[in-house]
Amino acid sequence: MVRTTIKDHQGERRLYRRRLLITLLLSLVGVSALIGRLHHLQITNHAHYQTLSRANRINLEPLPPTRGLIVDRFDRVLAENRSSLSLGIVPDQVPDLPDTLEQLAQMFGLTAEELDHFDSIRKQKRRFDRVPLKRWLSEEEAARFATQRHRFPGVDIQGTLYRHYPYAELTAHLLGYTSAINAKELAELERSVYRATHTIGKSGVERQFEATLHGQPGLQQVEVNARGRSLRVLEQQPPKSGQMLRLTLDLDVQRAATEALGDRRGAVVAIDATDGGILALVSTPSFNPNNFVRGISTNDYQALINSPNQPLYNRAIRGRYPPGSTIKPFLGFAGLTLQSGNAIHTTYCPGWFQLEGQSHKYRCWKRGGHGNLDLDMAIIRSCDVYFYRLASVLGIDAMHDFLAGFDFGRKTGIELPGENPGLNPSRAWKEAHFGVAWYPGESVINGIGQGFMLATPLQLATATAMLSRRNPGLRPTVVLDSATPSPPPAPAPAWDEDNWQQIVDAMEMVVSHPRGTAHILSTDLAYTMAAKTGTAQVFGIPQGEEYEEEELAERLKDHALFIAFAPVEDPRIAVAVVVENGGHGGSAAGPVARATLDAYLLPRLGL
Amino acid sequence: MNRLPRIRADWLLALGLLLLCSISLLAALSASGGDMAQLQAQGNRWLIAVLVMVAVAQLPPTLLLRWSPYLYLAGLLLLIAVAVVGDVGKGAQRWLQVGPIRFQPSELMKLAVPMTIAWYFAERQLPPRLHELLVATLMILLPAGLIFRQPDLGTALLVSASGFIVIFLAGIRWRWIISTAVLAAAAAPLAWQRLHDYQRQRVLTFLSPESDPLGTGYHIIQSNIAIGSGGLFGKGFLNGTQSQLEFLPESATDFIFAVLAEEYGFIGILLLLATYSIIVSRSFFISATAQSTYGRLLCGSLTLTFVIYILVNIGMVSGLLPVVGVPLPLISYGGTSMMTLMIGFGLLMSIQSHRQMFYGESQ
């Protein structure tokens, strides 16, 4: 449509100027109102406000909330709050700062380093801000200062709460620790909630449940004098403490597992098979979290970071290990379930396996071979050849899909930061990551849990717990209240009951059968136990070479693995153990699992 | 004779801004307790903002006119993007992160809305007819609604104001203004229900600050004490006990006026208002003498929005108005707000300094 109206430029301009004049007048009215108001405040009532300002005694101070305790399932305190006293100075209120510092340095034996540190903090703050001079005063030091206090205007002692972990190394990897809030965290925090808080959960449960544990700060109106010094509290909104967190952990089981591992590198994860509650989560070596709370020195921190044993690394949820033979019961179950290509039948083990048309020999760990064995015996004696053949019949994708049902290759979703998903390989995965096709030989070694496949100790324990009660819905958890018993009859239609029973029986015989690889553990066993040993190669042994343990450097020794659950009739606990470079699974990792199961079951069975 | 390319600017406006810049740097020192780093930061913000303003002033108004609707559409899309993927900061979803740049599309709308409404009326016969008013209103309420949902009541109101000012200046008939006012009054209770808790709290606290001395009312009480105790001459540079002892909240941003009032007194404040009035008077003059409808409407809206900023911020800090997060223009810390305002002055300068050429074209 063509616009035909002709704009009346003169008229529009007149109209606009009238309107602009109106707004100008309104603006003038507004400015006059402001000037009037300011005159009222600054001239008419100046004396009133000056009095208020001089006697402005009401200052708002935020009060930090008390962090929630962390306890184990029997209410034993794992993380508590202790009070520490710190000496602080408000420079503005000190008549002669150098002199005061000198006297305090004598009184408390302050080092030049501490004084330098004080100076650098002081320069970043304003003159009326309190600057800490010495933290962690002893009772005696505090008392000595109290008697001399009148000599030191502007110097005071304040109490603050800090986190303490009574079991230190024992619970470090599970609980994590709190320490000073850094700049990056500060930028992401809700400032109003953290205005009185100086520390924050950095790892483990402390970090995961920061919101629950932290609580809400309070406020107090404080009467202060003209120089900003607090005189007395007028009104208070008390802070709301953080909630107590009750973990599924059983400290006794945790301790038994840790002691059984001793000074070896490794991990133990024990799960309540009925509800998924984590009973023990051990990673060794560990570290003392209390050093982080107090502020760890750069040297000590570097020592931890650079240690070849990686004490800060939580092997239980982050360590990726080839599952080795511990994968065999799951693959046996897969063979029974899928029944594809006559997967399950008696196989002859001559000590090696060959793919049709290939010369490469895949060796059994038993060089002389096992002879004829069926699936049960292949699990009991951990025959490699049986599973090489089974894996080559099933193919990688069928194995991948079945193992995915046990959460291999994905995070279990435990409420802990930094969990590793492990790796459950498939054709699609290899194509996506290497752009190379899958080779049949890679399926073969996948059959004994070598090659690409990697699992965390947590995944192994979770899968074992799922298997033990035929419950694929089991989810591991660390918080007692969220540990929910699995739906009673645990229906798993994909996992046929007869097949499942056969695997469980075979796993029981790994311990009870005289030729079982974990038969050594049956001595004085007060309950029934189902298990599987695993020995994972750290590197491939070249064709035709002898495996000579003594000649291998310690770091190249096999990882020892072990999974178990008990009692077999009514499984209550499932456990996975990894001992890095521990050698054979049955002898190195088995006793650790046995100690863990004993610690949990014996008191409960009334033994 | 060879002539150097002329830098287009309005030197009287520039003089006013220069004076305001010095006040702003002084305020940065006062509010930070004499921290040179803050002075440096504020200085850098000014430097960048002035460069951008001068750059904008070089753009011919015809170009601005053509760009207006696209700027508006881009802003609208960004607002929707913020609603979908934006960063949540301090409980509100306002920021959009693109690589290292974080910015608030709602700031862009403070310019895009008046530009677009002015563009819409530029070629139409004025005073506007009813259906044109409805279209223009929709064009304002769409972005304003999105900003309100972030939630950012202050900016939503300012964006709406910048658009409705254009409608007012375009000559909307009084009977429409009056009926809208009546309608708005009737809808007020409904709007009250839609407000967030903290927004309601602000209004309630405004009506009776003493009712909540520990919470929001504390801000107003303390800022009144700061202003009042400043008196005629003020307590002097860095001697404001209210601000330096941190009785005063948000002393570097929304409540910076109280810092100035405490340390420099009534005289200092009158000087500040005088500086503002140099800028505002010149802007009114530019608006009144602009030659195109687009230029007139846009300049008028920019000028009045600036005035509203001043009135609302000082009104809020001195207890005349409720606390709505509006900064003191060009004085409060905050790079985004300063940048928007200076681009606004760049637009004013563009329209003023391209007058002759435009005059020649239109006749």
Side-chain angles (χ1 to χ4, degrees), chain A residues 320-325 362-365 384 388 445 448-451 453-454 534-542 545 547 552 555-561 581 583:
Chain A
R320 293 153 38 112
Y321 302 95
S325 302
Y362 298 90
R363 292 181 173 282
C364 187
W365 64 269
D384 288 341
Y388 287 144
I445 56 172
I448 61 159
Q450 296 284 168
M453 178 138 190
L454 296 168
T535 306
Q537 281 178 24
V538 176
F539 76 116
I541 298 168
E545 270 185 34
Y547 179 99
L552 292 175
R555 298 276 158 176
L556 298 177
K557 270 169 76 177
D558 290 344
H559 293 326
L561 291 94
N581 314 117

Side-chain angles (χ1 to χ4, degrees), chain B residues 99-268:
Chain B
I101 305 162
R102 232 162 87 94
F103 89 124
Q104 287 175 288
S106 52
E107 283 294 327
L108 172 65
M109 274 318 203
K110 285 182 182 167
L111 297 170
V113 164
M115 285 173 84
T116 308
I117 308 299
W119 162 83
Y120 182 70
F121 288 131
E123 294 303 318
R124 288 181 161 77
Q125 201 177 12
L126 298 178
R129 281 165 296 185
L130 183 58
H131 72 273
E132 290 164 347
L133 286 174
L134 290 178
V135 171
T137 306
L138 193 70
M139 278 163 41
I140 296 166
L141 292 185
L142 206 59
L146 284 169
I147 295 167
F148 174 73
R149 274 173 44 94
Q150 286 177 349
D152 186 354
L153 180 62
T155 309
L157 288 176
L158 282 172
V159 166
S160 316
S162 68
F164 286 118
I165 288 168
V166 178
I167 297 185
F168 178 77
L169 292 175
I172 176 179
R173 290 176 206 288
W174 286 104
R175 60 168 181 268
W176 295 120
I177 298 178
I178 291 161
S179 23
T180 312
V182 171
L183 218 63
L190 199 74
W192 177 256
Q193 289 186 335
R194 302 273 305 178
L195 288 182
H196 274 255
D197 279 346
Y198 83 93
Q199 292 165 335
R200 276 190 222 178
Q201 190 58 45
R202 280 181 179 175
V203 179
L204 288 176
T205 310
F206 161 65
L207 295 173
S208 154
E210 285 76 15
S211 69
D212 181 20
L214 271 179
T216 324
Y218 177 82
H219 292 208
I220 298 171
I221 295 172
Q222 292 299 345
S223 98
N224 277 350
I225 297 177
I227 297 170
S229 63
L232 186 59
F233 298 108
K235 296 176 183 171
F237 179 58
L238 292 188
N239 281 330
T241 51
Q242 283 294 109
S243 17
Q244 304 305 335
L245 291 179
E246 297 192 330
F247 286 111
L248 196 64
E250 304 280 336
S251 60
T253 52
D254 292 358
F255 281 79
I256 201 165
F257 178 83
V259 178
L260 290 174
E262 185 184 22
E263 298 197 345
Y264 307 103
F266 193 54
I267 301 282

Side-chain angles (χ1 to χ4, degrees), chain A residues 7 16 19 37 56 128, chain B residues 168 172 242 244 296 318:
Chain A
K7 276 169 76 85
Y16 175 81
R19 288 292 166 94
R37 172 69 180 172
N56 197 341
F128 46 83
Chain B
F168 178 77
I172 176 179
Q242 283 294 109
Q244 304 305 335
R296 272 199 296 270
S318 62

Side-chain angles (χ1 to χ4, degrees), chain A residues 3 5-9 12-13 15-17 19-20 22-24 26-27 30-31 33-35 37-39 41-43 45-47 49-50 52-54 56-60 92 126 128-129 190-191 219-221 224-228 235-237, chain B residues 90-91 121-127 168-172 174 213-214 218 222 224-225 227-232 235 241-242 244-247 257 261 265-266 269-270 273 284 287-289 291 293 296-297 300 304 307 310-311 314-315 318-320:
Chain A
R3 295 178 68 89
T5 46
I6 294 177
K7 276 169 76 85
D8 173 8
H9 285 283
E12 271 184 25
R13 186 168 304 178
L15 177 64
Y16 175 81
R17 286 194 176 162
R19 288 292 166 94
L20 198 65
I22 291 170
T23 62
L24 178 62
L26 285 174
S27 304
V31 171
L34 281 188
I35 292 178
R37 172 69 180 172
L38 292 169
H39 186 271
L41 289 174
Q42 297 197 287
I43 308 296
N45 288 323
H46 170 57
Y49 284 113
Q50 193 169 35
L52 280 182
S53 155
R54 286 237 175 93
N56 197 341
R57 292 172 304 186
I58 303 169
N59 205 348
L60 274 190
D92 201 31
R126 308 197 205 167
F128 46 83
D129 287 335
E190 188 69 39
R191 295 278 177 111
L219 272 180
Q220 65 180 5
Q221 273 190 335
V224 292
N225 66 14
R227 306 188 74 178
E235 202 178 313
Q236 206 179 48
Q237 279 177 8
Chain B
K90 296 193 180 178
F121 288 131
E123 294 303 318
R124 288 181 161 77
Q125 201 177 12
L126 298 178
F168 178 77
L169 292 175
I172 176 179
W174 286 104
L214 271 179
Y218 177 82
Q222 292 299 345
N224 277 350
I225 297 177
I227 297 170
S229 63
L232 186 59
K235 296 176 183 171
T241 51
Q242 283 294 109
Q244 304 305 335
L245 291 179
E246 297 192 330
F247 286 111
F257 178 83
F266 193 54
I269 290 314
L270 288 183
L273 290 177
F284 265 114
S287 312
T289 55
Q291 287 151 332
T293 308
R296 272 199 296 270
L297 293 177
L304 285 161
V307 173
I310 300 169
L311 294 180
I314 302 182
S318 62
L320 276 180

